[in-house]
Amino acid sequence: AQSVTQPDIHITVSEGASLELRCNYSYGATPYLFWYVQSPGQGLQLLLKYFSGDTLVQGIKGFEAEFKRSQSSFNLRKPSVHWSDAAEYFCAVVPFTGGGNKLTFGTGTQLKVEL
Amino acid sequence: GAGVSQTPSNKVTEKGKYVELRCDPISGHTALYWYRQSLGQGPEFLIYFQGTGAADDSGLPNDRFFAVRPEGSVSTLKIQRTERGDSAVYLCASSQGDSGTQYFGPGTRLTVL
């Protein structure tokens, strides 16, 4: 079945440490790939997206993600985490089948930042 | 410019009642999406409009749920005979065309007692 998996429900890192959030997808063809962030009481904000081309994608707030076709992964990274990065992070895909842009989300990873 | 807005921000209702949730998309965005986010889950797709018509309503859970977008701008999600299981945050998003980046509103938190 087609799915998006975020294996880590919760992650805690110290401020200033590096971060990697995992995302794996299971689709026949490479879908469009997205990372969104959701802060308490806020709407979802797009961090970055991958459609094609360079497999290392730069986003806002110092985030980047790397698409690895062989691993069906699109992991999110940040070299140095700030306390304000504490939030929930969602990986999402749009299957490359045309006919709309409906997103399928993973279950999310809750990031806690220790000062 | 103004982002996607949703009203009300919170709605508490009793089981069996009817509710309407409103979404104002970004001006000029032709595509509008509704998602539902249950506690501890990622958002799940409900319905997608391109202009005034529902292009894909495959995510609506049953016939108690209905959405309209009569003038191709504001959309209303309507839920009849609400059930406790309908409690969730209902998110709206809009995009420029059906392949553009989706911008999300803050959501409406629906609680069915």
Side-chain angles (χ1 to χ4, degrees):
Chain A
Q2 298 179 333
S3 66
V4 181
T5 303
Q6 293 182 248
D8 304 305
I9 299 174
H10 294 97
I11 282 186
T12 300
V13 299
S14 299
E15 189 175 37
S18 64
L19 171 70
E20 183 168 28
L21 303 182
R22 296 183 290 166
C23 173
N24 293 92
Y25 62 89
S26 174
Y27 286 83
T30 301
Y32 297 153
L33 298 157
F34 304 80
W35 275 99
Y36 281 85
V37 61
Q38 187 175 41
S39 300
Q42 303 294 314
L44 287 158
Q45 182 180 24
L46 179 68
L47 288 174
L48 45 78
K49 60 187 176 185
Y50 174 78
F51 287 1
S52 65
D54 193 346
T55 57
L56 186 61
V57 180
Q58 300 298 319
I60 62 171
K61 304 186 179 186
F63 285 93
E64 65 179 26
E66 184 171 15
F67 167 62
K68 293 186 177 180
R69 185 188 305 276
S70 62
Q71 298 177 19
S72 297
S73 70
F74 188 57
N75 293 350
L76 182 71
R77 302 194 296 240
K78 187 168 185 178
S80 177
V81 169
H82 188 263
W83 64 267
S84 61
D85 292 325
E88 187 147 28
Y89 291 80
F90 292 95
C91 181
V93 307
V94 170
F96 188 58
T97 55
N101 200 21
K102 61 184 183 184
L103 290 158
T104 298
F105 288 85
T107 52
T109 297
Q110 185 72 47
L111 174 65
K112 179 180 176 181
V113 180
E114 291 183 332
L115 300 176
Chain B
V4 178
S5 62
Q6 293 186 246
T7 54
S9 55
N10 280 284
K11 176 69 178 179
V12 180
T13 191
E14 294 179 343
K15 180 175 178 294
K17 298 291 189 183
Y18 168 83
V19 296
E20 290 188 350
L21 311 179
R22 176 187 168 106
C23 172
D24 277 275
I26 292 172
S27 178
H29 280 191
T30 56
L32 185 146
Y33 302 79
W34 284 99
Y35 295 83
R36 179 169 71 173
Q37 186 175 18
S38 300
L39 193 63
Q41 301 296 316
E44 294 179 312
F45 169 79
L46 295 177
I47 186 170
Y48 149 63
F49 288 89
Q50 181 57 258
T52 60
D56 183 347
D57 64 357
S58 61
L60 295 178
N62 52 59
D63 61 6
R64 295 187 297 106
F65 288 74
F66 189 72
V68 296
R69 194 186 186 200
E71 298 178 355
S73 178
V74 171
S75 176
T76 305
L77 179 65
K78 307 181 181 193
I79 310 174
Q80 299 177 323
R81 305 184 303 281
T82 52
E83 299 178 357
R84 293 193 180 87
D86 298 335
S87 297
V89 176
Y90 290 81
L91 297 168
C92 177
S94 69
S95 70
Q96 184 67 49
D98 67 359
S99 59
T101 297
Q102 293 182 40
Y103 295 90
F104 283 80
T108 293
R109 181 175 299 278
L110 175 66
T111 303
V112 182
L113 301 176

